[in-house]
mmCIF file of all heavy atoms in Angstrom:
data_model
loop_
_atom_site.group_PDB
_atom_site.id
_atom_site.type_symbol
_atom_site.label_atom_id
_atom_site.label_comp_id
_atom_site.label_asym_id
_atom_site.label_seq_id
_atom_site.Cartn_x
_atom_site.Cartn_y
_atom_site.Cartn_z
ATOM 1 N N ARG O 1 -46.206 45.867 26.111
ATOM 2 C CA ARG O 1 -46.929 45.805 24.835
ATOM 3 C C ARG O 1 -47.749 47.072 24.635
ATOM 4 O O ARG O 1 -48.058 47.796 25.584
ATOM 5 C CB ARG O 1 -47.873 44.606 24.819
ATOM 6 C CG ARG O 1 -48.936 44.706 25.897
ATOM 7 C CD ARG O 1 -49.787 43.479 25.984
ATOM 8 N NE ARG O 1 -50.504 43.485 27.263
ATOM 9 C CZ ARG O 1 -51.356 42.575 27.626
ATOM 10 N NH1 ARG O 1 -51.601 41.570 26.834
ATOM 11 N NH2 ARG O 1 -51.959 42.656 28.783
ATOM 12 N N ALA O 2 -48.114 47.313 23.380
ATOM 13 C CA ALA O 2 -49.035 48.390 23.031
ATOM 14 C C ALA O 2 -50.276 47.752 22.432
ATOM 15 O O ALA O 2 -50.173 46.907 21.535
ATOM 16 C CB ALA O 2 -48.399 49.346 22.028
ATOM 17 N N LEU O 3 -51.443 48.109 22.946
ATOM 18 C CA LEU O 3 -52.723 47.688 22.374
ATOM 19 C C LEU O 3 -53.279 48.875 21.606
ATOM 20 O O LEU O 3 -53.530 49.934 22.195
ATOM 21 C CB LEU O 3 -53.707 47.266 23.462
ATOM 22 C CG LEU O 3 -53.353 46.022 24.248
ATOM 23 C CD1 LEU O 3 -54.379 45.789 25.349
ATOM 24 C CD2 LEU O 3 -53.307 44.813 23.332
ATOM 25 N N ILE O 4 -53.464 48.711 20.307
ATOM 26 C CA ILE O 4 -53.841 49.828 19.439
ATOM 27 C C ILE O 4 -55.160 49.527 18.757
ATOM 28 O O ILE O 4 -55.363 48.440 18.219
ATOM 29 C CB ILE O 4 -52.748 50.082 18.388
ATOM 30 C CG1 ILE O 4 -51.420 50.392 19.082
ATOM 31 C CG2 ILE O 4 -53.158 51.198 17.439
ATOM 32 C CD1 ILE O 4 -50.243 50.470 18.141
ATOM 33 N N ASN O 5 -56.048 50.514 18.758
ATOM 34 C CA ASN O 5 -57.310 50.439 18.030
ATOM 35 C C ASN O 5 -57.396 51.689 17.164
ATOM 36 O O ASN O 5 -57.514 52.798 17.685
ATOM 37 C CB ASN O 5 -58.492 50.345 18.992
ATOM 38 C CG ASN O 5 -59.791 50.100 18.280
ATOM 39 O OD1 ASN O 5 -59.814 49.678 17.126
ATOM 40 N ND2 ASN O 5 -60.885 50.371 18.949
ATOM 41 N N ALA O 6 -57.293 51.510 15.851
ATOM 42 C CA ALA O 6 -57.285 52.649 14.937
ATOM 43 C C ALA O 6 -57.880 52.250 13.592
ATOM 44 O O ALA O 6 -57.981 51.069 13.273
ATOM 45 C CB ALA O 6 -55.857 53.155 14.746
ATOM 46 N N SER O 7 -58.255 53.253 12.821
ATOM 47 C CA SER O 7 -58.669 53.019 11.438
ATOM 48 C C SER O 7 -57.531 53.467 10.532
ATOM 49 O O SER O 7 -56.686 54.273 10.919
ATOM 50 C CB SER O 7 -59.952 53.794 11.127
ATOM 51 O OG SER O 7 -59.770 55.173 11.328
ATOM 52 N N GLY O 8 -57.500 52.924 9.348
ATOM 53 C CA GLY O 8 -56.423 53.209 8.412
ATOM 54 C C GLY O 8 -55.315 52.183 8.519
ATOM 55 O O GLY O 8 -55.364 51.256 9.323
ATOM 56 N N THR O 9 -54.304 52.346 7.676
ATOM 57 C CA THR O 9 -53.141 51.469 7.691
ATOM 58 C C THR O 9 -51.887 52.336 7.722
ATOM 59 O O THR O 9 -51.894 53.469 7.245
ATOM 60 C CB THR O 9 -53.085 50.563 6.451
ATOM 61 O OG1 THR O 9 -53.039 51.383 5.284
ATOM 62 C CG2 THR O 9 -54.279 49.647 6.371
ATOM 63 N N GLY O 10 -50.816 51.802 8.276
ATOM 64 C CA GLY O 10 -49.592 52.589 8.325
ATOM 65 C C GLY O 10 -48.490 51.886 9.083
ATOM 66 O O GLY O 10 -48.488 50.664 9.223
ATOM 67 N N TYR O 11 -47.557 52.693 9.567
ATOM 68 C CA TYR O 11 -46.394 52.181 10.278
ATOM 69 C C TYR O 11 -46.324 52.748 11.686
ATOM 70 O O TYR O 11 -46.840 53.827 11.955
ATOM 71 C CB TYR O 11 -45.102 52.541 9.532
ATOM 72 C CG TYR O 11 -44.891 51.718 8.297
ATOM 73 C CD1 TYR O 11 -45.366 52.150 7.066
ATOM 74 C CD2 TYR O 11 -44.238 50.504 8.364
ATOM 75 C CE1 TYR O 11 -45.183 51.384 5.924
ATOM 76 C CE2 TYR O 11 -44.047 49.730 7.237
ATOM 77 C CZ TYR O 11 -44.523 50.171 6.018
ATOM 78 O OH TYR O 11 -44.342 49.412 4.909
ATOM 79 N N ILE O 12 -45.614 52.020 12.567
ATOM 80 C CA ILE O 12 -45.463 52.403 13.963
ATOM 81 C C ILE O 12 -43.969 52.460 14.287
ATOM 82 O O ILE O 12 -43.211 51.559 13.893
ATOM 83 C CB ILE O 12 -46.134 51.366 14.894
ATOM 84 C CG1 ILE O 12 -47.585 51.162 14.510
ATOM 85 C CG2 ILE O 12 -46.020 51.781 16.348
ATOM 86 C CD1 ILE O 12 -48.208 49.940 15.159
ATOM 87 N N TRP O 13 -43.574 53.509 15.032
ATOM 88 C CA TRP O 13 -42.191 53.651 15.474
ATOM 89 C C TRP O 13 -42.166 53.805 16.979
ATOM 90 O O TRP O 13 -42.995 54.514 17.558
ATOM 91 C CB TRP O 13 -41.539 54.883 14.854
ATOM 92 C CG TRP O 13 -41.295 54.769 13.385
ATOM 93 C CD1 TRP O 13 -40.181 54.325 12.759
ATOM 94 C CD2 TRP O 13 -42.206 55.143 12.351
ATOM 95 N NE1 TRP O 13 -40.335 54.390 11.405
ATOM 96 C CE2 TRP O 13 -41.587 54.878 11.126
ATOM 97 C CE3 TRP O 13 -43.505 55.652 12.343
ATOM 98 C CZ2 TRP O 13 -42.194 55.128 9.907
ATOM 99 C CZ3 TRP O 13 -44.122 55.890 11.130
ATOM 100 C CH2 TRP O 13 -43.462 55.634 9.929
ATOM 101 N N LEU O 14 -41.203 53.155 17.615
ATOM 102 C CA LEU O 14 -40.993 53.262 19.055
ATOM 103 C C LEU O 14 -39.616 53.878 19.280
ATOM 104 O O LEU O 14 -38.605 53.271 18.903
ATOM 105 C CB LEU O 14 -41.068 51.887 19.725
ATOM 106 C CG LEU O 14 -40.681 51.829 21.199
ATOM 107 C CD1 LEU O 14 -41.626 52.678 22.041
ATOM 108 C CD2 LEU O 14 -40.673 50.391 21.697
ATOM 109 N N ASN O 15 -39.588 55.077 19.825
ATOM 110 C CA ASN O 15 -38.339 55.798 20.085
ATOM 111 C C ASN O 15 -37.419 55.804 18.863
ATOM 112 O O ASN O 15 -36.214 55.593 18.957
ATOM 113 C CB ASN O 15 -37.619 55.212 21.300
ATOM 114 C CG ASN O 15 -38.401 55.430 22.571
ATOM 115 O OD1 ASN O 15 -39.078 56.440 22.733
ATOM 116 N ND2 ASN O 15 -38.327 54.472 23.484
ATOM 117 N N GLY O 16 -38.010 56.026 17.683
ATOM 118 C CA GLY O 16 -37.251 56.124 16.441
ATOM 119 C C GLY O 16 -36.985 54.807 15.725
ATOM 120 O O GLY O 16 -36.410 54.801 14.645
ATOM 121 N N HIS O 17 -37.417 53.685 16.291
ATOM 122 C CA HIS O 17 -37.220 52.363 15.676
ATOM 123 C C HIS O 17 -38.532 51.888 15.069
ATOM 124 O O HIS O 17 -39.581 51.974 15.710
ATOM 125 C CB HIS O 17 -36.743 51.343 16.714
ATOM 126 C CG HIS O 17 -35.464 51.719 17.368
ATOM 127 N ND1 HIS O 17 -34.234 51.454 16.812
ATOM 128 C CD2 HIS O 17 -35.218 52.352 18.541
ATOM 129 C CE1 HIS O 17 -33.285 51.901 17.604
ATOM 130 N NE2 HIS O 17 -33.867 52.452 18.675
ATOM 131 N N ASN O 18 -38.470 51.359 13.849
ATOM 132 C CA ASN O 18 -39.675 50.871 13.184
ATOM 133 C C ASN O 18 -40.169 49.610 13.889
ATOM 134 O O ASN O 18 -39.508 48.579 13.873
ATOM 135 C CB ASN O 18 -39.397 50.596 11.719
ATOM 136 C CG ASN O 18 -40.657 50.292 10.939
ATOM 137 O OD1 ASN O 18 -41.625 49.763 11.472
ATOM 138 N ND2 ASN O 18 -40.651 50.638 9.676
ATOM 139 N N LEU O 19 -41.341 49.709 14.490
ATOM 140 C CA LEU O 19 -41.925 48.593 15.240
ATOM 141 C C LEU O 19 -42.702 47.655 14.328
ATOM 142 O O LEU O 19 -42.823 46.471 14.604
ATOM 143 C CB LEU O 19 -42.839 49.145 16.337
ATOM 144 C CG LEU O 19 -43.354 48.197 17.390
ATOM 145 C CD1 LEU O 19 -42.209 47.543 18.148
ATOM 146 C CD2 LEU O 19 -44.256 48.940 18.358
ATOM 147 N N GLY O 20 -43.247 48.163 13.239
ATOM 148 C CA GLY O 20 -43.987 47.315 12.326
ATOM 149 C C GLY O 20 -45.113 48.051 11.636
ATOM 150 O O GLY O 20 -45.247 49.259 11.735
ATOM 151 N N ARG O 21 -45.950 47.262 10.962
ATOM 152 C CA ARG O 21 -47.068 47.821 10.214
ATOM 153 C C ARG O 21 -48.360 47.645 10.991
ATOM 154 O O ARG O 21 -48.551 46.653 11.680
ATOM 155 C CB ARG O 21 -47.198 47.122 8.865
ATOM 156 C CG ARG O 21 -46.031 47.392 7.964
ATOM 157 C CD ARG O 21 -46.174 46.711 6.645
ATOM 158 N NE ARG O 21 -47.187 47.412 5.855
ATOM 159 C CZ ARG O 21 -47.410 47.172 4.582
ATOM 160 N NH1 ARG O 21 -46.732 46.238 3.974
ATOM 161 N NH2 ARG O 21 -48.321 47.843 3.939
ATOM 162 N N TYR O 22 -49.237 48.595 10.831
ATOM 163 C CA TYR O 22 -50.576 48.510 11.416
ATOM 164 C C TYR O 22 -51.576 48.420 10.270
ATOM 165 O O TYR O 22 -51.540 49.213 9.333
ATOM 166 C CB TYR O 22 -50.893 49.741 12.272
ATOM 167 C CG TYR O 22 -52.274 49.642 12.875
ATOM 168 C CD1 TYR O 22 -52.470 48.979 14.072
ATOM 169 C CD2 TYR O 22 -53.372 50.173 12.219
ATOM 170 C CE1 TYR O 22 -53.732 48.847 14.608
ATOM 171 C CE2 TYR O 22 -54.639 50.047 12.754
ATOM 172 C CZ TYR O 22 -54.815 49.388 13.945
ATOM 173 O OH TYR O 22 -56.069 49.247 14.471
ATOM 174 N N TRP O 23 -52.467 47.416 10.351
ATOM 175 C CA TRP O 23 -53.516 47.241 9.355
ATOM 176 C C TRP O 23 -54.868 47.373 10.027
ATOM 177 O O TRP O 23 -55.121 46.760 11.070
ATOM 178 C CB TRP O 23 -53.420 45.851 8.712
ATOM 179 C CG TRP O 23 -52.257 45.735 7.785
ATOM 180 C CD1 TRP O 23 -51.022 45.256 8.089
ATOM 181 C CD2 TRP O 23 -52.213 46.140 6.430
ATOM 182 N NE1 TRP O 23 -50.201 45.335 6.994
ATOM 183 C CE2 TRP O 23 -50.912 45.871 5.951
ATOM 184 C CE3 TRP O 23 -53.143 46.700 5.554
ATOM 185 C CZ2 TRP O 23 -50.529 46.145 4.647
ATOM 186 C CZ3 TRP O 23 -52.740 46.968 4.255
ATOM 187 C CH2 TRP O 23 -51.445 46.685 3.819
ATOM 188 N N GLU O 24 -55.735 48.164 9.416
ATOM 189 C CA GLU O 24 -57.095 48.318 9.940
ATOM 190 C C GLU O 24 -57.821 46.975 9.916
ATOM 191 O O GLU O 24 -58.483 46.592 10.872
ATOM 192 C CB GLU O 24 -57.848 49.343 9.092
ATOM 193 C CG GLU O 24 -59.282 49.531 9.493
ATOM 194 C CD GLU O 24 -59.971 50.549 8.616
ATOM 195 O OE1 GLU O 24 -59.359 51.097 7.682
ATOM 196 O OE2 GLU O 24 -61.148 50.790 8.865
ATOM 197 N N GLU O 25 -57.683 46.250 8.813
ATOM 198 C CA GLU O 25 -58.300 44.933 8.692
ATOM 199 C C GLU O 25 -57.238 43.893 8.999
ATOM 200 O O GLU O 25 -56.201 43.852 8.371
ATOM 201 C CB GLU O 25 -58.840 44.726 7.278
ATOM 202 C CG GLU O 25 -59.937 45.707 6.929
ATOM 203 C CD GLU O 25 -60.432 45.529 5.512
ATOM 204 O OE1 GLU O 25 -60.183 44.455 4.917
ATOM 205 O OE2 GLU O 25 -61.057 46.458 5.010
ATOM 206 N N GLY O 26 -57.520 43.064 9.951
ATOM 207 C CA GLY O 26 -56.550 42.040 10.320
ATOM 208 C C GLY O 26 -56.605 41.767 11.799
ATOM 209 O O GLY O 26 -57.183 42.530 12.563
ATOM 210 N N PRO O 27 -55.976 40.700 12.238
ATOM 211 C CA PRO O 27 -56.102 40.307 13.639
ATOM 212 C C PRO O 27 -55.181 41.044 14.598
ATOM 213 O O PRO O 27 -55.415 41.023 15.786
ATOM 214 C CB PRO O 27 -55.747 38.826 13.596
ATOM 215 C CG PRO O 27 -54.785 38.721 12.458
ATOM 216 C CD PRO O 27 -55.269 39.721 11.441
ATOM 217 N N GLN O 28 -54.136 41.691 14.119
ATOM 218 C CA GLN O 28 -53.145 42.226 15.061
ATOM 219 C C GLN O 28 -53.542 43.601 15.592
ATOM 220 O O GLN O 28 -53.696 44.555 14.846
ATOM 221 C CB GLN O 28 -51.775 42.319 14.423
ATOM 222 C CG GLN O 28 -50.712 42.700 15.440
ATOM 223 C CD GLN O 28 -49.308 42.607 14.890
ATOM 224 O OE1 GLN O 28 -49.112 42.395 13.716
ATOM 225 N NE2 GLN O 28 -48.332 42.786 15.742
ATOM 226 N N ARG O 29 -53.702 43.674 16.894
ATOM 227 C CA ARG O 29 -53.950 44.927 17.604
ATOM 228 C C ARG O 29 -52.917 45.105 18.727
ATOM 229 O O ARG O 29 -52.852 46.130 19.349
ATOM 230 C CB ARG O 29 -55.351 44.939 18.234
ATOM 231 C CG ARG O 29 -56.461 44.843 17.249
ATOM 232 C CD ARG O 29 -56.792 46.219 16.715
ATOM 233 N NE ARG O 29 -57.938 46.149 15.833
ATOM 234 C CZ ARG O 29 -57.908 46.543 14.574
ATOM 235 N NH1 ARG O 29 -56.821 47.020 14.046
ATOM 236 N NH2 ARG O 29 -58.976 46.469 13.824
ATOM 237 N N GLU O 30 -52.125 44.060 18.947
ATOM 238 C CA GLU O 30 -51.171 44.035 20.049
ATOM 239 C C GLU O 30 -49.762 43.975 19.477
ATOM 240 O O GLU O 30 -49.474 43.153 18.614
ATOM 241 C CB GLU O 30 -51.456 42.805 20.913
ATOM 242 C CG GLU O 30 -50.573 42.672 22.114
ATOM 243 C CD GLU O 30 -51.032 41.498 22.975
ATOM 244 O OE1 GLU O 30 -52.140 41.545 23.502
ATOM 245 O OE2 GLU O 30 -50.251 40.549 23.088
ATOM 246 N N PHE O 31 -48.887 44.854 19.991
ATOM 247 C CA PHE O 31 -47.523 44.936 19.500
ATOM 248 C C PHE O 31 -46.557 44.850 20.673
ATOM 249 O O PHE O 31 -46.665 45.627 21.623
ATOM 250 C CB PHE O 31 -47.310 46.246 18.735
ATOM 251 C CG PHE O 31 -48.121 46.327 17.478
ATOM 252 C CD1 PHE O 31 -49.434 46.762 17.524
ATOM 253 C CD2 PHE O 31 -47.582 45.949 16.269
ATOM 254 C CE1 PHE O 31 -50.199 46.829 16.375
ATOM 255 C CE2 PHE O 31 -48.336 46.004 15.113
ATOM 256 C CZ PHE O 31 -49.654 46.448 15.167
ATOM 257 N N TYR O 32 -45.624 43.925 20.600
ATOM 258 C CA TYR O 32 -44.575 43.775 21.613
ATOM 259 C C TYR O 32 -43.624 44.959 21.511
ATOM 260 O O TYR O 32 -43.227 45.377 20.418
ATOM 261 C CB TYR O 32 -43.835 42.452 21.393
ATOM 262 C CG TYR O 32 -42.613 42.292 22.251
ATOM 263 C CD1 TYR O 32 -42.735 42.070 23.618
ATOM 264 C CD2 TYR O 32 -41.343 42.376 21.710
ATOM 265 C CE1 TYR O 32 -41.610 41.934 24.425
ATOM 266 C CE2 TYR O 32 -40.211 42.231 22.495
ATOM 267 C CZ TYR O 32 -40.358 42.022 23.852
ATOM 268 O OH TYR O 32 -39.247 41.895 24.636
ATOM 269 N N LEU O 33 -43.245 45.515 22.650
ATOM 270 C CA LEU O 33 -42.304 46.630 22.708
ATOM 271 C C LEU O 33 -40.955 46.104 23.199
ATOM 272 O O LEU O 33 -40.808 45.793 24.383
ATOM 273 C CB LEU O 33 -42.832 47.723 23.656
ATOM 274 C CG LEU O 33 -44.231 48.251 23.347
ATOM 275 C CD1 LEU O 33 -44.653 49.276 24.386
ATOM 276 C CD2 LEU O 33 -44.307 48.827 21.940
ATOM 277 N N PRO O 34 -39.978 45.948 22.309
ATOM 278 C CA PRO O 34 -38.692 45.369 22.703
ATOM 279 C C PRO O 34 -37.987 46.180 23.785
ATOM 280 O O PRO O 34 -37.913 47.406 23.715
ATOM 281 C CB PRO O 34 -37.873 45.400 21.403
ATOM 282 C CG PRO O 34 -38.897 45.467 20.311
ATOM 283 C CD PRO O 34 -40.037 46.253 20.880
ATOM 284 N N ASP O 35 -37.480 45.480 24.791
ATOM 285 C CA ASP O 35 -36.775 46.121 25.914
ATOM 286 C C ASP O 35 -35.639 47.029 25.450
ATOM 287 O O ASP O 35 -35.411 48.093 26.022
ATOM 288 C CB ASP O 35 -36.170 45.068 26.836
ATOM 289 C CG ASP O 35 -37.214 44.342 27.647
ATOM 290 O OD1 ASP O 35 -38.413 44.574 27.435
ATOM 291 O OD2 ASP O 35 -36.813 43.549 28.512
ATOM 292 N N CYS O 36 -34.915 46.587 24.422
ATOM 293 C CA CYS O 36 -33.736 47.336 23.976
ATOM 294 C C CYS O 36 -34.104 48.695 23.381
ATOM 295 O O CYS O 36 -33.247 49.564 23.239
ATOM 296 C CB CYS O 36 -32.927 46.511 22.983
ATOM 297 S SG CYS O 36 -33.854 46.008 21.523
ATOM 298 N N TRP O 37 -35.369 48.912 23.041
ATOM 299 C CA TRP O 37 -35.818 50.201 22.492
ATOM 300 C C TRP O 37 -36.557 51.041 23.523
ATOM 301 O O TRP O 37 -36.896 52.190 23.261
ATOM 302 C CB TRP O 37 -36.720 49.987 21.291
ATOM 303 C CG TRP O 37 -36.040 49.338 20.124
ATOM 304 C CD1 TRP O 37 -34.702 49.162 19.928
ATOM 305 C CD2 TRP O 37 -36.681 48.765 18.996
ATOM 306 N NE1 TRP O 37 -34.472 48.509 18.746
ATOM 307 C CE2 TRP O 37 -35.678 48.252 18.147
ATOM 308 C CE3 TRP O 37 -38.000 48.624 18.602
ATOM 309 C CZ2 TRP O 37 -35.950 47.640 16.942
ATOM 310 C CZ3 TRP O 37 -38.285 48.010 17.396
ATOM 311 C CH2 TRP O 37 -37.265 47.513 16.574
ATOM 312 N N LEU O 38 -36.848 50.472 24.684
ATOM 313 C CA LEU O 38 -37.579 51.200 25.729
ATOM 314 C C LEU O 38 -36.630 51.951 26.647
ATOM 315 O O LEU O 38 -35.494 51.537 26.866
ATOM 316 C CB LEU O 38 -38.432 50.230 26.554
ATOM 317 C CG LEU O 38 -39.643 49.644 25.863
ATOM 318 C CD1 LEU O 38 -40.258 48.544 26.723
ATOM 319 C CD2 LEU O 38 -40.679 50.716 25.555
ATOM 320 N N LYS O 39 -37.142 53.049 27.213
ATOM 321 C CA LYS O 39 -36.404 53.830 28.199
ATOM 322 C C LYS O 39 -37.156 53.712 29.522
ATOM 323 O O LYS O 39 -38.258 54.240 29.656
ATOM 324 C CB LYS O 39 -36.335 55.292 27.773
ATOM 325 C CG LYS O 39 -35.648 55.508 26.443
ATOM 326 C CD LYS O 39 -35.783 56.946 26.023
ATOM 327 C CE LYS O 39 -35.264 57.151 24.626
ATOM 328 N NZ LYS O 39 -35.541 58.507 24.150
ATOM 329 N N PHE O 40 -36.572 52.995 30.468
ATOM 330 C CA PHE O 40 -37.213 52.805 31.768
ATOM 331 C C PHE O 40 -36.840 53.965 32.680
ATOM 332 O O PHE O 40 -35.685 54.353 32.769
ATOM 333 C CB PHE O 40 -36.805 51.464 32.371
ATOM 334 C CG PHE O 40 -37.332 50.306 31.577
ATOM 335 C CD1 PHE O 40 -36.561 49.698 30.608
ATOM 336 C CD2 PHE O 40 -38.622 49.849 31.791
ATOM 337 C CE1 PHE O 40 -37.058 48.638 29.857
ATOM 338 C CE2 PHE O 40 -39.123 48.790 31.053
ATOM 339 C CZ PHE O 40 -38.341 48.191 30.083
#
């Protein structure tokens, strides 16, 4: 997972794949990182 603390709103990409939206206001600060997009 990625734990993110930031101001502003926008989008997140993991190795070129759109992971989702980030909102400054809202409960989500934790994002699951799918295995199929990770490079171990």
Side-chain angles (χ1 to χ4, degrees):
R1 62 186 164 178
L3 294 176
I4 301 172
N5 187 18
S7 59
T9 59
Y11 286 91
I12 305 167
W13 291 268
L14 172 63
N15 294 326
H17 301 276
N18 189 330
L19 191 59
R21 294 180 73 170
Y22 180 86
W23 287 94
E24 177 180 1
E25 297 178 18
Q28 187 172 8
R29 298 275 184 238
E30 182 174 296
F31 294 85
Y32 172 71
L33 305 178
D35 288 5
C36 58
W37 296 346
L38 289 171
K39 300 173 187 173
F40 294 95

